[in-house]
């Protein structure tokens, strides 16, 4: 029989963000020189679930929220990825983020594939009771598709330890016994890991420090700017500050603050803890917009807010010497190309922000073994994993004369490809 060439056409997840992930993949597939079998399996997610969640609001009315879970690859193990509550969540965003999670887990040599999910809602407009009901309904609807050996959710934008506690409780109530290993990023009292909260931001700074060493720079002598002052950006700013670097500007959704001689990061954290954001903070700083922050002259720019912050419109105006992606997908394909032309190295998201999923993996291992490690041990194990992955990426980039992003993707795809080729395509 003749071979049938099947062109799937436009699929439901084909949004600009998914196309960005696909464009990166196609480039890397060429560079990684893997077989057709590998490319065919990895271009699309294995499974995508779309849900509607009926939820009772505090005023007694009912509304329904769209929700998603996308599982990209189960070749190396269960899928793993965050759950976000955000007004922009859609299938394409979850599919792109799930694919990036596959590369991130593979690059760090964690026995997982990638997943991502979310509920389309405006989390700041929901009360704690409403958030709990959204989370519990989401978990109940998702129960057939998640599990400690199947798919393990974690926090992402606007979800946190409390969200994970509700997810763990809802899943455990259905099973009839406590299943802490169903989610990571839980409170320590429920089997969460020490250092999970700090892991992503600390990992970002470990990667920045490794890059500085290779570039012959002293981290303590660098001026750093951080976009986003939440879990990732807030911790990264603290770690940079603690290592002696000068953090001259930080920002959140309310805008940014700038002080050429360095910001007092602990005071900024205390202010955000009290007021919820940087809005209104003026002591000894100049207020700047997020656009100005990205174009502030500095050595290291850390992007730790959200996707598509550096793109064709502003990549030419950046005045940093090194860019570190703490967020997922903060640099567009066109932005990347411009930065490469300008000779500004980009520490790519799948390497730079992998500290979170790495300590999530440690949390899952501890939960399964019912044996818990101390903070120093976790930090040491994280540092080992991050530095091993960084060295592999740096070496591939230099051996093949390609960007660090391409090198990270190539290194990651080769890990998945080796497993996929050994397993073959069923049946
Ligand atoms: P978060 O909600 O704790 O913090 C996000 C921060 O970005 C907040 O300070 C928010 O005000 C700010 N922000 C949002 N939109 C902005 C904008 N347009 N301009 C400037 N600031 C803006 O979220 P997080 O957990 O820190 O996640 C940030 C990014 O890091 C996301 O892309 C997420 O997917 C990624 N990430 C998070 C983790 C983790 O462990 N939390 C792990 C890997 C990747």
């Amino acid at each position: 029989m003749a071979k049938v060439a099947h062109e799937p056409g436009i699929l439901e997840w084909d949004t600009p963000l998914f196309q960005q992930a696909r464009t990166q993949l196609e480039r890397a597939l060429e560079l990684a020189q893997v077989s057709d079998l590998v490319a065919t399996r990895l271009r699309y997610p294995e499974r995508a679930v779309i849900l509607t969640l009926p939820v009772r609001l505090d005023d007694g009315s009912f509304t329904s929220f769209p929700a998603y879970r996308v599982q990209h690859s189960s070749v190396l193990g269960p899928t793993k990825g965050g759950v976000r509550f955000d007004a922009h969540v859609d299938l394409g965003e979850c599919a792109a983020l799930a694919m990036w999670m596959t590369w991130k887990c593979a690059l760090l040599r964690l026995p997982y594939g990638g997943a991502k999910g979310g509920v389309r809602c405006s989390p700041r407009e929901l009360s704690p009771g409403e958030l709990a009901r959204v989370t519990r309904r989401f978990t109940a609807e998702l129960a057939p598709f998640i599990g400690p050996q199947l798919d393990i959710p974690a926090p992402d934008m606007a979800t946190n330890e409390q969200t994970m506690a509700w997810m763990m409780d809802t899943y455990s109530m259905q099973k009839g016994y406590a299943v802490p290993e169903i989610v990571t990023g839980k409170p320590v009292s429920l089997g969460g890991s020490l250092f999970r909260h700090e892991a992503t931001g600390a990992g970002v700074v470990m990667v920045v420090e490794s890059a500085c060493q290779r570039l012959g720079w002293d981290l303590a002598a660098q001026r750093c700017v951080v976009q986003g002052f939440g879990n990732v950006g807030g911790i990264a700013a603290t770690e940079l500050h603690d290592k002696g670097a000068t953090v001259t500007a930080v920002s959140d959704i309310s805008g940014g603050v700038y002080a050429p001689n360095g910001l007092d990061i602990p005071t900024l954290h205390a202010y955000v803890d009290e007021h919820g954001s940087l809005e209104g903070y003026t002591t000894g700083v100049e207020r700047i917009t997020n656009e100005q922050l990205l174009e502030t002259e500095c050595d290291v720019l850390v992007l730790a807010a959200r996707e598509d912050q550096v793109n064709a419109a502003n990549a030419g105006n950046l005045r940093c010497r090194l860019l570190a992606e703490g967020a997922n997908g903060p640099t567009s394909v066109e932005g990347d190309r411009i930065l490469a032309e300008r000779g500004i190295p980009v520490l790519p998201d799948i390497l730079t922000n992998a500290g979170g999923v790495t300590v999530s993996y440690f949390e899952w291992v501890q939960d399964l073994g019912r044996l818990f490690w101390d903070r120093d041990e976790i930090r040491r194990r994280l540092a080992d994993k991050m530095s091993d992955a960084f060295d592999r990426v740096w070496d591939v980039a230099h051996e093949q004369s390609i960007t660090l992003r391409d090198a990270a993707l190539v290194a990651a795809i080769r890990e998945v490809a080796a497993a996929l080729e050994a397993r073959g395509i069923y049946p």
Side-chain angles (χ1 to χ4, degrees):
M1 256 199 352
K3 265 190 168 172
V4 179
H6 175 66
E7 177 44 60
I10 298 200
L11 291 172
E12 288 73 7
W13 44 62
D14 250 326
T15 62
L17 199 70
F18 185 67
Q19 281 159 13
Q20 178 179 332
R22 275 290 309 277
T23 305
Q24 293 173 353
L25 171 62
E26 294 304 330
R27 268 179 72 89
L29 283 172
E30 263 175 47
L31 295 164
Q33 304 253 300
V34 296
S35 67
D36 269 3
L37 173 161
V38 170
T40 306
R41 176 71 279 198
L42 297 179
R43 279 194 178 103
Y44 304 107
E46 287 178 11
R47 180 190 271 162
V49 184
I50 304 184
L51 306 160
T52 46
L53 313 177
V55 175
R56 182 174 45 78
L57 301 179
D58 289 347
D59 66 4
S61 67
F62 288 87
T63 190
S64 82
F65 296 98
Y68 308 88
R69 185 76 183 167
V70 177
Q71 297 161 352
H72 174 255
S73 171
S74 60
V75 175
L76 287 163
T79 54
K80 184 93 194 74
V83 168
R84 54 172 60 177
F85 288 175
D86 187 73
H88 304 284
V89 174
D90 62 26
L91 190 65
E93 181 178 280
C94 292
L97 292 161
M99 187 186 277
W100 283 322
M101 279 302 290
T102 296
W103 313 142
K104 196 180 298 183
C105 294
L107 182 60
L108 272 287
R109 296 191 165 149
L110 311 179
Y112 291 139
K116 204 74 168 196
V119 179
R120 192 185 300 176
C121 63
S122 299
R124 275 176 287 275
E125 288 165 21
L126 297 173
S127 71
E130 290 167 335
L131 285 170
R133 292 194 290 279
V134 168
T135 306
R136 288 182 178 283
R137 184 70 195 212
F138 183 52
T139 312
E141 299 272 357
L142 214 52
F145 306 103
I146 58 175
Q149 302 299 337
L150 187 60
D151 181 14
I152 306 143
D156 192 71
M157 280 162 59
T159 56
N160 53 30
E161 290 186 352
Q162 178 61 72
T163 323
M164 294 305 112
W166 290 325
M167 289 192 83
M168 179 270 182
D169 182 65
T170 306
Y171 189 85
S172 299
M173 283 294 115
Q174 302 207 349
K175 289 286 170 191
Y177 50 89
V179 190
E181 58 273 25
I182 179 61
V183 288
T184 59
K186 299 175 293 292
V188 172
S189 59
L190 277 184
S193 181
L194 296 173
F195 204 63
R196 170 63 188 86
H197 176 72
E198 300 94 319
T200 309
V204 168
V205 176
M206 288 172 187
V207 172
V208 168
E209 199 168 18
S210 296
C212 285
Q213 276 164 9
R214 295 284 191 136
L215 292 163
W217 305 354
D218 174 13
L219 177 61
Q222 308 307 313
R223 289 159 311 146
C224 306
V225 167
V226 182
Q227 185 199 36
F229 203 64
N231 177 260
V232 181
I235 302 282
T238 299
E239 292 271 327
L240 287 166
H241 185 261
D242 290 351
K243 286 179 183 291
T246 308
V247 181
T248 59
V250 299
S251 69
D252 67 11
I253 190 90
S254 72
V257 291
Y258 171 68
N261 294 326
L263 293 162
D264 179 354
I265 300 297
T267 304
L268 286 176
H269 273 295
Y271 184 88
V272 171
D273 287 346
E274 193 182 340
H275 299 90
S277 78
L278 293 167
E279 187 161 15
Y281 188 90
T282 49
T283 319
V285 301
E286 186 186 325
R287 295 289 316 189
I288 54 173
T289 64
N290 261 297
E291 292 70 31
Q292 288 171 319
L293 173 120
L294 293 174
E295 296 175 14
T296 301
E297 190 177 358
C298 62
D299 300 301
V300 183
L301 171 62
V302 178
L303 301 178
R306 59 179 313 141
E307 311 82 47
D308 197 30
Q309 295 303 297
V310 172
N311 47 39
N314 63 0
N317 304 334
L318 261 50
R319 289 191 290 161
C320 60
R321 296 198 295 154
L322 176 69
L323 189 147
E325 294 188 329
N328 287 311
T331 312
S332 74
V333 171
E334 188 57 14
D336 232 8
R337 194 188 56 71
I338 295 169
L339 294 175
E341 266 173 26
R342 296 185 56 205
I344 299 174
V346 176
L347 298 171
D349 47 7
I350 63 166
L351 168 68
T352 312
N353 69 29
V357 69
T358 302
V359 175
S360 274
Y361 162 64
F362 296 160
E363 178 175 338
W364 179 73
V365 169
Q366 291 172 83
D367 287 339
L368 288 170
R370 302 292 194 266
L371 183 68
F372 294 89
W373 309 334
D374 67 27
R375 211 184 146 76
D376 288 348
E377 172 154 17
I378 295 167
R379 192 172 177 122
R380 183 182 52 73
R381 285 178 185 263
L382 174 65
D384 287 350
K385 279 261 177 215
M386 297 301 290
S387 112
D388 170 57
F390 175 86
D391 289 346
R392 277 183 281 121
V393 170
W394 192 270
D395 292 345
V396 171
H398 286 81
E399 278 157 23
Q400 293 195 221
S401 298
I402 54 180
T403 63
L404 293 165
R405 185 185 315 284
D406 285 341
L409 285 166
V410 166
I413 287 166
R414 284 185 181 150
E415 299 284 333
V416 189
L420 195 46
E421 271 159 10
R423 286 182 61 164
I425 296 277
Y426 178 85

